[in-house]
Amino acid sequence: MSDGRSLRLNLPYLLGVYAAVNAVRDAYLLVDGPQCVSFKAEHLSGKHDWRSSLLDPSGFHRIVMTGTTWDTVTFSREKRIESLLERVLARPDAGLVMVSSLTMCGLSGIQYDRLIKPFGKKSKISFLEIRCDTLDHDWLDGYASVWGELAKSVDLARAKPRKNAVAVVGHLMDRNEGDQDGNLAELARMLGGLGLDLVSAWPSGGPYGALSEARRASFVVGLPYAREAAATLAKRLKVPLIETELPFGLGASERWVRAVAAATGRKAAGERFIDAELRRAVPPLEWAAPQVFLNKKLLYLGDPYLLEGFAELSALLGARLESAAVCSRAGRLGPRGLAHAALQEPEETAWLTATGAGAPYDLCVTNNVGWQVLGLEAGPVMEFGFPSYFHHSLASRPFLGFRGFLEFADRMAENLMLARMRTVSERTPA
Amino acid sequence: MATTRAPEKLVFFGKGGSGKSTLSSNLSAIYARSGLKVLHVGCDPKRDSTALLVERPEARSVLSRQGEDLGVAPASEFLMRSRLGLDCIEAGGPEPGVGCAGRGISKMIEVLHRDRIIERGGYDVVTFDVLGDVVCGGFAAPLRLGFGEKVVIVVSEEAMSLYAANNIAHAVRNYSGNGVGLCGLVANLRDPGADVGLIERFAARIGTSVVGVVGRDLAFREAESRERCLTEIRPRPKALKNLEEIAEKLRKMDRNKLTVPEPMDEAEFYEANRDRFSSPRRPLPARGPVSGTIPDAVRGEAAKAPSPERPSPPRDLDAVADGAAPAPPYTRWLMWTWGVEDQWRQFFANPELELNSAKPLLRDTAFVVQKELECFFVEARSDDGTAGFFNHPWPDHTSNVLPLPFELRRLGSRQLVADIKDGEVIMGGSRKMEAAMAGLAADPGKTGLAVFLTSCPAVVIGDDNAAVMERFRLRSGIPTLFPDRDRDQHTDLLADLFALAPRTARRDAGPRVNLVGFPRDRSLTELTALLAMIGVEVNSVLLPEFDRESVARYGDADLQVIRPYRAYEDLTADLFAKLPVPALVIEPPYGVEGTRRWLAAIAKSLELRLDWDALSAPYRARWDALRARAAGRTLGFICDAERLALLRDCRHSAGVPLLSAVREMGFRLEWLLWCPCGGKTKHPAKDKAGERETIRRFHSKKELDALLRSRPIDAVYSDLFFDTRLTRAGKSQFSLPYFEPGLDGALRTVERLLGTAELPLYKGYARYLAEEDHV
């Protein structure tokens, strides 16, 4: 076969922007572009997030589009944009309005920042421009870009840091379901274990105004999905920034607690908390590791920041990560991810080659993109990460932190045992 | 010596060949010689702005291709130090005839901004030398916030040079909100004896003045031939003094006191030009805010109502923005329009459902796709087994995109992607396309067909992809199709396949029919069996799925049985109706009676006998029992008079005769009908089915909400899956995917409808469904 290019396994910039908008309950995003920018919201609203409010049956979607197409992009459309902004402004539930565009429209030279300026002046609602970077940037850039802008604009007037109060910035709240609710609760619980109080999580699924609660923080913990935003917020608040990895997996959760504990002067409390957590998290693994995980061959495709913990977690339980790839441009993997020679933004054919194109494996942990490429021909798939169209969380089911570690290991064990059940059924003579 | 104050930012515009680069380079050199720290920015894809300042072998540009990505490297890598002590940077850009140079300029400005080159450089003066006339937003990028502030237009006495200057004045006016102002004109005379007064009058006419006049001087020619500035020519040329004065004047102009020009419109320009700008200007019309509008001619065209026979995207975008209802409901797009005032009462989504009406299952095909990554994530696919925002009629059998990658592999097909990144927009995407096609031509494997699918960004770039594909076809001998992107690409592809299909020899066996508009699922298998019972063989099935084999044998049939569906009407008229096979466009077999009518019509067309009693006997008892259960349940429709009329025409509901089907199944129906306030629209008090159908009217959202909460309706029709308007009011919903054709399909349909009508969740717990606050 030819060496023609195949699909890049990555997610686009605007999808990341939408994920951020989805996580701020009263945020609206006007996108200068054709109707596809509305349809794109379906990937989140309904497909990935059953509790999303991005799309509205009554037509007041939180993603607003101008309808500019390739044949109307040549004309000025400032009036139309202003008219739409007026109407969004009139929505009773609007707390924040952002404006962005597809590159196709952005390159025509419209100055969105100039258009929104008068609206910001005449209303209490914040208006922000999210730069249009759809061609060369990916979903994680889009997500970080929104939080970067929010960190610059959120109202921090009368900031009064309170002792022990922490703001966590840069969590990937890609949906409003139980997994992410659980993650937030777990972050709050881990901070609580150190005697710290989570006063603001960016994002949390709440309204824009709730972000201002960060003004009470005396520390900002920055997670990988919005490093710049965390730094900006800490700088504006004049409080210490604690940059941490994602607490995904047992080892990463331990390191996370230690990092926060060290930066806040709570080392002893941190060790006590970790010890208590390990006492709960480790015993269930005693027989699960050899029974379920040991020597299992795993594949991974998805979020680069989750690969780090996944690789470590797999190794801890005795499973072998045979092949890994991330839906991300290069430059986001830390040493643990790179140690697995992970492909970054691989093409479809490269990913298939790396996975052995049908070689048997025990479980492929992947987002929906990986499933679309692999199907189930070569082995069982556990959908995980953004986007997940088949896996949803009706109940609180974290995957971050110590509790999240056990929940995640539990999910993996269930999938691996189900696959074994299937194998045995197929083997048994009729 | 560098200062800490903000630099003077001069932007030179002017018609091509007016001497911008010569003037701006010389001025940069003069500023540098006077001890100022200068950055000279060339905004021209020809990369010749710095020709007088930097030795050519050293010249490099921001937009020279560095592998895949343009503009990724830090801008500082492209800074060139001139022998004259100033810094230079060139945008560069595509080869002539490809790509988008405007985007290139824009990209360079983004890179300068990203890397804070101007701020960090501590420059006193930054000069931007911009290509030709202002031709698009890309070339106006140096006028964006934080960049150019003082615009200088270089003009000659020629009419077209003044015309360009007038256009540039429009751009300056548009960007004046950024603090951009016009310093004035620099006259660079072509004819030494030209009338400078003409340029002065023109300047006065647009509200500015002539800052300086550059006459013909052989020193310029000599300096240019030696690739040097006037400051380097010995003995010191006379013209240098003049330039120094201009330089000083421009630098000293207070950027806060610059004027916003009052350019002429085109007609006024030509009229004034005829009398050499000597007549006084007409009083200026009051000017509104500085922004453009869609021209009247386009507005007029856009305002035309879409044809009621075929939904098309609304073009009257201003009307959309204003919240007006631009089209009747059956052409209304729920996703295209935002916040249309009456959308709260719309429960039907024809255009969106009709967008998704076909799925190509083509074997051994290379789909060549030129898109940006965003375009691969447009509408979420409907055929992956998970729900989307809309209830597509056959979610597993239609797709707005290509089949899933693993499905493609099973078909022996693949997707070749020539994806569009910034580099392709700026430099053109044909090279990538050529590479992909060359690879395929060199090693085609089993590829028997190449299909090119394009996208909006590809159209905007304007690559000549048809030529690339044609060259590929000639080189490889592989048939190549290029479906029309302005229509539904999948149905258009089906039409194209007919042009390629070999004719299959006629077989002599019994009567055969082609079915159009029947998803390939179990109900098709059951219909095939029913047809076999009356002696009819199914020859070919097309749409929603289609494949080349079915197209190839399509001509070998005695009858085409076509589902009446608006999404297929163009194809029916343009293709199926023109084939030499009789066509029967008939309501599909939904419900028991519908199935009888359908089979009877086919039997009649083929002169066959239908023994309906024998055929339907096995189903009767079960059907009657289900009907008895259905009699205790009420289904609801929310609509207005127009939609009510459309519900009687199955073309508007994917060929599913919704009304006759649910009536035959024995459900009670309740109509919630919208009446405009004032009550001019007359609705019937009862539908013709009589007492089993109730009509309630509403005038407002509040009334509808109240009716939904109070009326004993078990399930309400909606084309939206996540229709919180219904669930929060305690109602289940039903929609097109509930309906299946044939006798077995009729039984399953009633069971499914009873399932949703009897669902206790919403009835019992609706008040708890509102979202609670998160952490």
Side-chain angles (χ1 to χ4, degrees), chain A residues 150-185:
Chain A
L150 289 173
K152 287 180 214 161
S153 71
V154 79
D155 179 17
L156 298 176
R158 294 181 301 282
K160 199 175 176 186
R162 208 183 63 196
K163 198 180 166 193
N164 303 335
V166 175
V168 172
V169 175
H171 162 58
L172 179 70
M173 181 102 186
D174 54 353
R175 60 183 177 193
N176 297 280
E177 295 186 8
D179 47 2
Q180 294 297 3
D181 275 352
N183 282 337
L184 283 178

Side-chain angles (χ1 to χ4, degrees), chain B residues 98-100 370 420-421 424-425 427-429 456-463:
Chain B
V98 295
C100 175
Q370 193 187 30
I420 297 174
K421 299 171 92 175
E424 282 62 54
V425 170
M427 302 298 217
C456 297
V459 174
V460 170
I461 303 173
D463 285 338

Side-chain angles (χ1 to χ4, degrees), chain B residues 413-485:
Chain B
S413 296
R414 62 192 154 138
Q415 185 172 206
L416 288 180
V417 179
D419 68 346
I420 297 174
K421 299 171 92 175
D422 237 345
E424 282 62 54
V425 170
I426 296 167
M427 302 298 217
S430 289
R431 263 190 292 192
K432 225 178 214 180
M433 276 287 295
E434 291 274 13
M437 301 319 293
L440 181 60
D443 183 10
K446 286 184 179 173
T447 304
L449 176 68
V451 176
F452 178 72
L453 301 169
T454 186
S455 63
C456 297
V459 174
V460 170
I461 303 173
D463 285 338
D464 189 7
N465 288 317
V468 176
M469 294 303 285
E470 181 60 8
R471 281 197 292 279
F472 165 77
R473 189 184 66 79
L474 292 172
R475 195 165 46 201
S476 67
I478 295 173
T480 303
L481 297 178
F482 209 140
D484 185 353
R485 68 169 301 285

Side-chain angles (χ1 to χ4, degrees), chain B residues 159-177:
Chain B
M160 282 302 103
S161 176
L162 298 175
Y163 180 84
N166 190 54
N167 270 349
I168 294 161
H170 276 288
V172 175
R173 186 175 169 77
N174 277 336
Y175 284 88
S176 58

Side-chain angles (χ1 to χ4, degrees), chain A residues 245-265:
Chain A
E245 61 184 302
L246 203 63
F248 176 52
L250 202 58
S253 298
E254 287 180 55
R255 287 191 296 276
W256 192 85
V257 171
R258 285 199 179 98
V260 176
T264 55

